[in-house]
PDB file of all heavy atoms in Angstrom:
ATOM      1  N   LEU X1629     189.212  76.430  84.721  1.00 96.00           N
ATOM      2  CA  LEU X1629     188.621  77.105  85.871  1.00 96.00           C
ATOM      3  C   LEU X1629     189.657  77.279  86.986  1.00 96.00           C
ATOM      4  O   LEU X1629     190.805  76.874  86.850  1.00 96.00           O
ATOM      5  CB  LEU X1629     187.391  76.352  86.363  1.00 96.00           C
ATOM      6  CG  LEU X1629     186.270  76.143  85.330  1.00 96.00           C
ATOM      7  CD1 LEU X1629     185.010  75.658  86.006  1.00 96.00           C
ATOM      8  CD2 LEU X1629     185.994  77.404  84.535  1.00 96.00           C
ATOM      9  N   LEU X1630     189.248  77.890  88.080  1.00 97.00           N
ATOM     10  CA  LEU X1630     190.166  78.227  89.166  1.00 97.00           C
ATOM     11  C   LEU X1630     190.960  77.010  89.640  1.00 97.00           C
ATOM     12  O   LEU X1630     192.163  77.083  89.871  1.00 97.00           O
ATOM     13  CB  LEU X1630     189.382  78.837  90.332  1.00 97.00           C
ATOM     14  CG  LEU X1630     190.174  79.174  91.591  1.00 97.00           C
ATOM     15  CD1 LEU X1630     191.218  80.250  91.304  1.00 97.00           C
ATOM     16  CD2 LEU X1630     189.223  79.635  92.696  1.00 97.00           C
ATOM     17  N   ILE X1631     190.280  75.883  89.818  1.00 97.00           N
ATOM     18  CA  ILE X1631     190.925  74.636  90.242  1.00 97.00           C
ATOM     19  C   ILE X1631     190.749  73.620  89.120  1.00 97.00           C
ATOM     20  O   ILE X1631     189.621  73.234  88.796  1.00 97.00           O
ATOM     21  CB  ILE X1631     190.312  74.113  91.555  1.00 97.00           C
ATOM     22  CG1 ILE X1631     190.568  75.124  92.689  1.00 97.00           C
ATOM     23  CG2 ILE X1631     190.882  72.748  91.916  1.00 97.00           C
ATOM     24  CD1 ILE X1631     189.860  74.793  93.985  1.00 97.00           C
ATOM     25  N   GLN X1632     191.850  73.182  88.524  1.00 97.00           N
ATOM     26  CA  GLN X1632     191.799  72.285  87.372  1.00 97.00           C
ATOM     27  C   GLN X1632     192.286  70.873  87.682  1.00 97.00           C
ATOM     28  O   GLN X1632     191.735  69.906  87.156  1.00 97.00           O
ATOM     29  CB  GLN X1632     192.663  72.830  86.226  1.00 97.00           C
ATOM     30  CG  GLN X1632     192.304  74.223  85.763  1.00 97.00           C
ATOM     31  CD  GLN X1632     193.146  74.640  84.573  1.00 97.00           C
ATOM     32  OE1 GLN X1632     192.889  74.215  83.449  1.00 97.00           O
ATOM     33  NE2 GLN X1632     194.167  75.445  84.811  1.00 97.00           N
ATOM     34  N   ARG X1633     193.317  70.758  88.489  1.00 97.00           N
ATOM     35  CA  ARG X1633     193.965  69.473  88.725  1.00 97.00           C
ATOM     36  C   ARG X1633     193.577  68.885  90.083  1.00 97.00           C
ATOM     37  O   ARG X1633     193.209  69.607  91.007  1.00 97.00           O
ATOM     38  CB  ARG X1633     195.488  69.626  88.647  1.00 97.00           C
ATOM     39  CG  ARG X1633     195.982  70.085  87.286  1.00 97.00           C
ATOM     40  CD  ARG X1633     197.484  70.257  87.272  1.00 97.00           C
ATOM     41  NE  ARG X1633     197.935  70.710  85.961  1.00 97.00           N
ATOM     42  CZ  ARG X1633     198.181  69.900  84.935  1.00 97.00           C
ATOM     43  NH1 ARG X1633     198.029  68.585  85.081  1.00 97.00           N
ATOM     44  NH2 ARG X1633     198.581  70.389  83.774  1.00 97.00           N
ATOM     45  N   ALA X1634     193.720  67.576  90.188  1.00 98.00           N
ATOM     46  CA  ALA X1634     193.407  66.903  91.445  1.00 98.00           C
ATOM     47  C   ALA X1634     194.297  67.411  92.571  1.00 98.00           C
ATOM     48  O   ALA X1634     193.836  67.617  93.703  1.00 98.00           O
ATOM     49  CB  ALA X1634     193.567  65.392  91.282  1.00 98.00           C
ATOM     50  N   SER X1635     195.564  67.615  92.291  1.00 98.00           N
ATOM     51  CA  SER X1635     196.487  68.079  93.335  1.00 98.00           C
ATOM     52  C   SER X1635     196.090  69.458  93.847  1.00 98.00           C
ATOM     53  O   SER X1635     196.166  69.731  95.057  1.00 98.00           O
ATOM     54  CB  SER X1635     197.919  68.112  92.794  1.00 98.00           C
ATOM     55  OG  SER X1635     198.014  68.945  91.647  1.00 98.00           O
ATOM     56  N   GLU X1636     195.651  70.353  92.943  1.00 97.00           N
ATOM     57  CA  GLU X1636     195.197  71.682  93.343  1.00 97.00           C
ATOM     58  C   GLU X1636     193.960  71.577  94.228  1.00 97.00           C
ATOM     59  O   GLU X1636     193.827  72.301  95.227  1.00 97.00           O
ATOM     60  CB  GLU X1636     194.856  72.517  92.114  1.00 97.00           C
ATOM     61  CG  GLU X1636     196.031  72.851  91.215  1.00 97.00           C
ATOM     62  CD  GLU X1636     195.604  73.513  89.924  1.00 97.00           C
ATOM     63  OE1 GLU X1636     194.408  73.447  89.563  1.00 97.00           O
ATOM     64  OE2 GLU X1636     196.479  74.103  89.264  1.00 97.00           O
ATOM     65  N   CYS X1637     193.064  70.675  93.843  1.00 98.00           N
ATOM     66  CA  CYS X1637     191.819  70.520  94.597  1.00 98.00           C
ATOM     67  C   CYS X1637     192.086  70.000  96.006  1.00 98.00           C
ATOM     68  O   CYS X1637     191.563  70.540  96.983  1.00 98.00           O
ATOM     69  CB  CYS X1637     190.883  69.563  93.849  1.00 98.00           C
ATOM     70  SG  CYS X1637     189.242  69.434  94.588  1.00 98.00           S
ATOM     71  N   VAL X1638     192.909  68.972  96.112  1.00 98.00           N
ATOM     72  CA  VAL X1638     193.179  68.385  97.426  1.00 98.00           C
ATOM     73  C   VAL X1638     193.928  69.377  98.316  1.00 98.00           C
ATOM     74  O   VAL X1638     193.665  69.457  99.522  1.00 98.00           O
ATOM     75  CB  VAL X1638     193.947  67.060  97.272  1.00 98.00           C
ATOM     76  CG1 VAL X1638     194.429  66.548  98.626  1.00 98.00           C
ATOM     77  CG2 VAL X1638     193.046  66.016  96.608  1.00 98.00           C
ATOM     78  N   ALA X1639     194.823  70.160  97.736  1.00 98.00           N
ATOM     79  CA  ALA X1639     195.507  71.196  98.527  1.00 98.00           C
ATOM     80  C   ALA X1639     194.495  72.196  99.076  1.00 98.00           C
ATOM     81  O   ALA X1639     194.582  72.622 100.246  1.00 98.00           O
ATOM     82  CB  ALA X1639     196.552  71.908  97.670  1.00 98.00           C
ATOM     83  N   PHE X1640     193.528  72.577  98.249  1.00 98.00           N
ATOM     84  CA  PHE X1640     192.481  73.508  98.683  1.00 98.00           C
ATOM     85  C   PHE X1640     191.614  72.871  99.771  1.00 98.00           C
ATOM     86  O   PHE X1640     191.296  73.514 100.780  1.00 98.00           O
ATOM     87  CB  PHE X1640     191.624  73.899  97.484  1.00 98.00           C
ATOM     88  CG  PHE X1640     190.469  74.804  97.805  1.00 98.00           C
ATOM     89  CD1 PHE X1640     190.671  76.164  98.002  1.00 98.00           C
ATOM     90  CD2 PHE X1640     189.180  74.298  97.922  1.00 98.00           C
ATOM     91  CE1 PHE X1640     189.603  77.002  98.308  1.00 98.00           C
ATOM     92  CE2 PHE X1640     188.109  75.127  98.220  1.00 98.00           C
ATOM     93  CZ  PHE X1640     188.323  76.486  98.422  1.00 98.00           C
ATOM     94  N   LEU X1641     191.230  71.612  99.590  1.00 98.00           N
ATOM     95  CA  LEU X1641     190.394  70.926 100.570  1.00 98.00           C
ATOM     96  C   LEU X1641     191.107  70.807 101.912  1.00 98.00           C
ATOM     97  O   LEU X1641     190.497  70.983 102.972  1.00 98.00           O
ATOM     98  CB  LEU X1641     190.010  69.532 100.058  1.00 98.00           C
ATOM     99  CG  LEU X1641     189.163  69.470  98.782  1.00 98.00           C
ATOM    100  CD1 LEU X1641     188.947  68.024  98.354  1.00 98.00           C
ATOM    101  CD2 LEU X1641     187.824  70.171  98.974  1.00 98.00           C
ATOM    102  N   ARG X1642     192.377  70.505 101.864  1.00 98.00           N
ATOM    103  CA  ARG X1642     193.156  70.414 103.112  1.00 98.00           C
ATOM    104  C   ARG X1642     193.190  71.760 103.828  1.00 98.00           C
ATOM    105  O   ARG X1642     193.157  71.820 105.056  1.00 98.00           O
ATOM    106  CB  ARG X1642     194.573  69.937 102.797  1.00 98.00           C
ATOM    107  CG  ARG X1642     194.661  68.447 102.478  1.00 98.00           C
ATOM    108  CD  ARG X1642     196.108  68.025 102.273  1.00 98.00           C
ATOM    109  NE  ARG X1642     196.222  66.570 102.174  1.00 98.00           N
ATOM    110  CZ  ARG X1642     196.912  65.929 101.241  1.00 98.00           C
ATOM    111  NH1 ARG X1642     197.576  66.628 100.314  1.00 98.00           N
ATOM    112  NH2 ARG X1642     196.969  64.612 101.232  1.00 98.00           N
ATOM    113  N   ASN X1643     193.254  72.820 103.056  1.00 97.00           N
ATOM    114  CA  ASN X1643     193.312  74.160 103.638  1.00 97.00           C
ATOM    115  C   ASN X1643     191.996  74.523 104.324  1.00 97.00           C
ATOM    116  O   ASN X1643     191.986  75.070 105.428  1.00 97.00           O
ATOM    117  CB  ASN X1643     193.647  75.171 102.543  1.00 97.00           C
ATOM    118  CG  ASN X1643     193.938  76.551 103.100  1.00 97.00           C
ATOM    119  OD1 ASN X1643     194.465  76.695 104.198  1.00 97.00           O
ATOM    120  ND2 ASN X1643     193.595  77.577 102.350  1.00 97.00           N
ATOM    121  N   VAL X1644     190.878  74.190 103.679  1.00 97.00           N
ATOM    122  CA  VAL X1644     189.567  74.463 104.288  1.00 97.00           C
ATOM    123  C   VAL X1644     189.324  73.540 105.471  1.00 97.00           C
ATOM    124  O   VAL X1644     188.788  73.936 106.506  1.00 97.00           O
ATOM    125  CB  VAL X1644     188.441  74.324 103.247  1.00 97.00           C
ATOM    126  CG1 VAL X1644     187.084  74.580 103.890  1.00 97.00           C
ATOM    127  CG2 VAL X1644     188.669  75.282 102.081  1.00 97.00           C
ATOM    128  N   ASN X1645     189.672  72.258 105.285  1.00 96.00           N
ATOM    129  CA  ASN X1645     189.651  71.280 106.390  1.00 96.00           C
ATOM    130  C   ASN X1645     188.283  71.162 107.057  1.00 96.00           C
ATOM    131  O   ASN X1645     188.103  71.528 108.225  1.00 96.00           O
ATOM    132  CB  ASN X1645     190.720  71.637 107.429  1.00 96.00           C
ATOM    133  CG  ASN X1645     190.889  70.546 108.475  1.00 96.00           C
ATOM    134  OD1 ASN X1645     190.653  69.369 108.199  1.00 96.00           O
ATOM    135  ND2 ASN X1645     191.298  70.925 109.677  1.00 96.00           N
ATOM    136  N   HIS X1646     187.329  70.662 106.290  1.00 97.00           N
ATOM    137  CA  HIS X1646     185.985  70.454 106.831  1.00 97.00           C
ATOM    138  C   HIS X1646     185.509  69.052 106.460  1.00 97.00           C
ATOM    139  O   HIS X1646     185.667  68.624 105.307  1.00 97.00           O
ATOM    140  CB  HIS X1646     185.013  71.490 106.272  1.00 97.00           C
ATOM    141  CG  HIS X1646     183.711  71.569 107.006  1.00 97.00           C
ATOM    142  ND1 HIS X1646     182.719  70.613 106.879  1.00 97.00           N
ATOM    143  CD2 HIS X1646     183.244  72.478 107.905  1.00 97.00           C
ATOM    144  CE1 HIS X1646     181.702  70.935 107.650  1.00 97.00           C
ATOM    145  NE2 HIS X1646     181.992  72.058 108.289  1.00 97.00           N
ATOM    146  N   PRO X1647     184.928  68.305 107.411  1.00 96.00           N
ATOM    147  CA  PRO X1647     184.520  66.917 107.129  1.00 96.00           C
ATOM    148  C   PRO X1647     183.410  66.785 106.087  1.00 96.00           C
ATOM    149  O   PRO X1647     183.194  65.700 105.550  1.00 96.00           O
ATOM    150  CB  PRO X1647     184.042  66.406 108.497  1.00 96.00           C
ATOM    151  CG  PRO X1647     183.684  67.644 109.266  1.00 96.00           C
ATOM    152  CD  PRO X1647     184.652  68.682 108.807  1.00 96.00           C
ATOM    153  N   ARG X1648     182.706  67.865 105.790  1.00 97.00           N
ATOM    154  CA  ARG X1648     181.630  67.839 104.805  1.00 97.00           C
ATOM    155  C   ARG X1648     182.062  68.434 103.459  1.00 97.00           C
ATOM    156  O   ARG X1648     181.225  68.876 102.684  1.00 97.00           O
ATOM    157  CB  ARG X1648     180.403  68.585 105.339  1.00 97.00           C
ATOM    158  CG  ARG X1648     179.667  67.831 106.432  1.00 97.00           C
ATOM    159  CD  ARG X1648     178.953  66.615 105.865  1.00 97.00           C
ATOM    160  NE  ARG X1648     178.327  65.812 106.902  1.00 97.00           N
ATOM    161  CZ  ARG X1648     177.621  64.702 106.662  1.00 97.00           C
ATOM    162  NH1 ARG X1648     177.464  64.290 105.420  1.00 97.00           N
ATOM    163  NH2 ARG X1648     177.091  64.024 107.649  1.00 97.00           N
ATOM    164  N   LEU X1649     183.376  68.409 103.185  1.00 98.00           N
ATOM    165  CA  LEU X1649     183.884  68.943 101.924  1.00 98.00           C
ATOM    166  C   LEU X1649     184.885  67.962 101.332  1.00 98.00           C
ATOM    167  O   LEU X1649     185.908  67.640 101.941  1.00 98.00           O
ATOM    168  CB  LEU X1649     184.558  70.304 102.152  1.00 98.00           C
ATOM    169  CG  LEU X1649     185.016  71.048 100.890  1.00 98.00           C
ATOM    170  CD1 LEU X1649     183.820  71.437 100.025  1.00 98.00           C
ATOM    171  CD2 LEU X1649     185.810  72.290 101.282  1.00 98.00           C
ATOM    172  N   LYS X1650     184.576  67.474 100.111  1.00 98.00           N
ATOM    173  CA  LYS X1650     185.463  66.534  99.423  1.00 98.00           C
ATOM    174  C   LYS X1650     185.553  66.903  97.942  1.00 98.00           C
ATOM    175  O   LYS X1650     185.164  67.996  97.542  1.00 98.00           O
ATOM    176  CB  LYS X1650     184.960  65.093  99.603  1.00 98.00           C
ATOM    177  CG  LYS X1650     185.146  64.541 101.002  1.00 98.00           C
ATOM    178  CD  LYS X1650     184.953  63.036 101.034  1.00 98.00           C
ATOM    179  CE  LYS X1650     185.319  62.462 102.388  1.00 98.00           C
ATOM    180  NZ  LYS X1650     185.268  60.973 102.378  1.00 98.00           N
ATOM    181  N   MET X1651     186.046  65.979  97.143  1.00 98.00           N
ATOM    182  CA  MET X1651     186.242  66.214  95.713  1.00 98.00           C
ATOM    183  C   MET X1651     185.292  65.369  94.882  1.00 98.00           C
ATOM    184  O   MET X1651     185.076  64.194  95.172  1.00 98.00           O
ATOM    185  CB  MET X1651     187.681  65.870  95.319  1.00 98.00           C
ATOM    186  CG  MET X1651     187.978  66.004  93.822  1.00 98.00           C
ATOM    187  SD  MET X1651     189.754  65.905  93.435  1.00 98.00           S
ATOM    188  CE  MET X1651     190.117  64.196  93.866  1.00 98.00           C
ATOM    189  N   ASN X1652     184.711  65.991  93.854  1.00 98.00           N
ATOM    190  CA  ASN X1652     184.002  65.231  92.825  1.00 98.00           C
ATOM    191  C   ASN X1652     185.026  64.929  91.741  1.00 98.00           C
ATOM    192  O   ASN X1652     185.499  65.828  91.045  1.00 98.00           O
ATOM    193  CB  ASN X1652     182.834  66.027  92.241  1.00 98.00           C
ATOM    194  CG  ASN X1652     182.019  65.193  91.284  1.00 98.00           C
ATOM    195  OD1 ASN X1652     181.695  64.044  91.571  1.00 98.00           O
ATOM    196  ND2 ASN X1652     181.682  65.746  90.127  1.00 98.00           N
ATOM    197  N   ALA X1653     185.380  63.667  91.608  1.00 98.00           N
ATOM    198  CA  ALA X1653     186.438  63.256  90.685  1.00 98.00           C
ATOM    199  C   ALA X1653     185.858  63.012  89.301  1.00 98.00           C
ATOM    200  O   ALA X1653     185.395  61.908  88.993  1.00 98.00           O
ATOM    201  CB  ALA X1653     187.140  62.003  91.213  1.00 98.00           C
ATOM    202  N   ASP X1654     185.885  64.056  88.477  1.00 98.00           N
ATOM    203  CA  ASP X1654     185.475  63.902  87.084  1.00 98.00           C
ATOM    204  C   ASP X1654     186.711  63.427  86.325  1.00 98.00           C
ATOM    205  O   ASP X1654     187.624  64.197  86.044  1.00 98.00           O
ATOM    206  CB  ASP X1654     184.966  65.233  86.525  1.00 98.00           C
ATOM    207  CG  ASP X1654     184.346  65.071  85.149  1.00 98.00           C
ATOM    208  OD1 ASP X1654     185.052  64.562  84.254  1.00 98.00           O
ATOM    209  OD2 ASP X1654     183.179  65.447  84.957  1.00 98.00           O
ATOM    210  N   LEU X1655     186.741  62.145  85.981  1.00 98.00           N
ATOM    211  CA  LEU X1655     187.957  61.545  85.451  1.00 98.00           C
ATOM    212  C   LEU X1655     188.319  62.069  84.072  1.00 98.00           C
ATOM    213  O   LEU X1655     189.500  62.166  83.726  1.00 98.00           O
ATOM    214  CB  LEU X1655     187.812  60.018  85.445  1.00 98.00           C
ATOM    215  CG  LEU X1655     187.530  59.391  86.822  1.00 98.00           C
ATOM    216  CD1 LEU X1655     187.568  57.876  86.735  1.00 98.00           C
ATOM    217  CD2 LEU X1655     188.521  59.878  87.880  1.00 98.00           C
ATOM    218  N   GLY X1656     187.321  62.438  83.285  1.00 98.00           N
ATOM    219  CA  GLY X1656     187.598  63.034  81.985  1.00 98.00           C
ATOM    220  C   GLY X1656     188.266  64.389  82.120  1.00 98.00           C
ATOM    221  O   GLY X1656     189.154  64.741  81.333  1.00 98.00           O
ATOM    222  N   HIS X1657     187.866  65.171  83.108  1.00 98.00           N
ATOM    223  CA  HIS X1657     188.477  66.476  83.335  1.00 98.00           C
ATOM    224  C   HIS X1657     189.967  66.324  83.655  1.00 98.00           C
ATOM    225  O   HIS X1657     190.804  67.094  83.166  1.00 98.00           O
ATOM    226  CB  HIS X1657     187.773  67.202  84.480  1.00 98.00           C
ATOM    227  CG  HIS X1657     186.401  67.656  84.147  1.00 98.00           C
ATOM    228  ND1 HIS X1657     185.598  68.312  85.059  1.00 98.00           N
ATOM    229  CD2 HIS X1657     185.663  67.559  83.015  1.00 98.00           C
ATOM    230  CE1 HIS X1657     184.427  68.601  84.493  1.00 98.00           C
ATOM    231  NE2 HIS X1657     184.453  68.141  83.251  1.00 98.00           N
ATOM    232  N   PHE X1658     190.289  65.337  84.473  1.00 98.00           N
ATOM    233  CA  PHE X1658     191.690  65.114  84.803  1.00 98.00           C
ATOM    234  C   PHE X1658     192.495  64.739  83.561  1.00 98.00           C
ATOM    235  O   PHE X1658     193.616  65.198  83.364  1.00 98.00           O
ATOM    236  CB  PHE X1658     191.822  64.025  85.875  1.00 98.00           C
ATOM    237  CG  PHE X1658     191.192  64.377  87.189  1.00 98.00           C
ATOM    238  CD1 PHE X1658     190.479  63.440  87.913  1.00 98.00           C
ATOM    239  CD2 PHE X1658     191.305  65.652  87.704  1.00 98.00           C
ATOM    240  CE1 PHE X1658     189.896  63.757  89.127  1.00 98.00           C
ATOM    241  CE2 PHE X1658     190.726  65.992  88.922  1.00 98.00           C
ATOM    242  CZ  PHE X1658     190.020  65.039  89.636  1.00 98.00           C
ATOM    243  N   PHE X1659     191.912  63.890  82.717  1.00 98.00           N
ATOM    244  CA  PHE X1659     192.580  63.484  81.486  1.00 98.00           C
ATOM    245  C   PHE X1659     192.866  64.697  80.604  1.00 98.00           C
ATOM    246  O   PHE X1659     193.929  64.803  79.987  1.00 98.00           O
ATOM    247  CB  PHE X1659     191.706  62.471  80.743  1.00 98.00           C
ATOM    248  CG  PHE X1659     192.333  61.869  79.518  1.00 98.00           C
ATOM    249  CD1 PHE X1659     193.313  60.889  79.621  1.00 98.00           C
ATOM    250  CD2 PHE X1659     191.936  62.268  78.251  1.00 98.00           C
ATOM    251  CE1 PHE X1659     193.893  60.331  78.488  1.00 98.00           C
ATOM    252  CE2 PHE X1659     192.505  61.716  77.108  1.00 98.00           C
ATOM    253  CZ  PHE X1659     193.489  60.748  77.229  1.00 98.00           C
ATOM    254  N   CYS X1660     191.928  65.638  80.562  1.00 98.00           N
ATOM    255  CA  CYS X1660     192.091  66.842  79.732  1.00 98.00           C
ATOM    256  C   CYS X1660     193.307  67.671  80.143  1.00 98.00           C
ATOM    257  O   CYS X1660     193.984  68.254  79.292  1.00 98.00           O
ATOM    258  CB  CYS X1660     190.846  67.727  79.816  1.00 98.00           C
ATOM    259  SG  CYS X1660     189.402  67.095  78.957  1.00 98.00           S
ATOM    260  N   VAL X1661     193.576  67.761  81.438  1.00 97.00           N
ATOM    261  CA  VAL X1661     194.662  68.623  81.914  1.00 97.00           C
ATOM    262  C   VAL X1661     195.972  67.864  82.104  1.00 97.00           C
ATOM    263  O   VAL X1661     196.935  68.403  82.662  1.00 97.00           O
ATOM    264  CB  VAL X1661     194.263  69.345  83.223  1.00 97.00           C
ATOM    265  CG1 VAL X1661     193.066  70.249  82.989  1.00 97.00           C
ATOM    266  CG2 VAL X1661     193.988  68.355  84.352  1.00 97.00           C
ATOM    267  N   GLY X1662     196.006  66.615  81.631  1.00 97.00           N
ATOM    268  CA  GLY X1662     197.244  65.856  81.669  1.00 97.00           C
ATOM    269  C   GLY X1662     197.430  64.965  82.876  1.00 97.00           C
ATOM    270  O   GLY X1662     198.455  64.267  82.987  1.00 97.00           O
ATOM    271  N   ASP X1663     196.492  64.968  83.797  1.00 96.00           N
ATOM    272  CA  ASP X1663     196.551  64.027  84.917  1.00 96.00           C
ATOM    273  C   ASP X1663     196.152  62.637  84.438  1.00 96.00           C
ATOM    274  O   ASP X1663     195.329  62.498  83.528  1.00 96.00           O
ATOM    275  CB  ASP X1663     195.583  64.451  86.032  1.00 96.00           C
ATOM    276  CG  ASP X1663     196.078  65.631  86.850  1.00 96.00           C
ATOM    277  OD1 ASP X1663     197.249  66.009  86.681  1.00 96.00           O
ATOM    278  OD2 ASP X1663     195.289  66.170  87.650  1.00 96.00           O
TER     279      ASP X1663
END
Side-chain angles (χ1 to χ4, degrees):
L1629 302 192
L1630 176 63
I1631 297 173
Q1632 303 184 78
R1633 298 178 181 276
S1635 58
E1636 294 172 344
C1637 186
V1638 171
F1640 177 79
L1641 297 176
R1642 285 184 171 133
N1643 189 32
V1644 179
N1645 189 29
H1646 194 285
R1648 287 289 175 179
L1649 186 65
K1650 288 194 172 186
M1651 177 169 67
N1652 186 45
D1654 188 304
L1655 302 187
H1657 290 179
F1658 297 139
F1659 186 76
C1660 288
V1661 298
D1663 285 350

